[in-house]
Amino acid sequence: MGRVMADPVAWLEQKAAARTEDAVKIYGKGQTEVRALDGVSVEFASGRYTAVMGPSGSGKSTCCTAWPAWTA
């Protein structure tokens, strides 16, 4: 079972370790254009572990390679 937080408001007010809004990553041009990320927004809480899960081709690896550029 999950852990119950004593003060969820305080947790929400913590500074994020990383975040991005409306990220877009496009490979190719014209007819061969592929939008690997299209409007992805995510925030990772400081001091937490995060798992990124999804089906094949959903953009997990693309997000992982983009993360170093994201800042809080």
Side-chain angles (χ1 to χ4, degrees):
M1 270 193 115
R3 194 170 53 142
V4 176
M5 294 182 177
D7 188 355
V9 173
W11 179 80
L12 289 172
E13 292 173 349
Q14 287 181 359
K15 183 176 180 181
R19 81 178 69 146
T20 189
E21 289 186 26
D22 298 324
V24 176
K25 176 65 177 177
I26 301 170
Y27 293 102
K29 292 181 181 179
Q31 295 266 357
T32 62
E33 178 179 295
V34 175
R35 288 182 168 257
L37 301 177
D38 190 9
V40 174
S41 297
V42 66
E43 182 173 294
F44 298 102
S46 182
R48 303 260 178 197
Y49 289 100
T50 301
V52 178
M53 302 179 343
S56 177
S58 64
K60 301 178 302 293
S61 294
T62 302
C63 280
C64 288
T65 58
W67 286 339
W70 300 350
T71 58

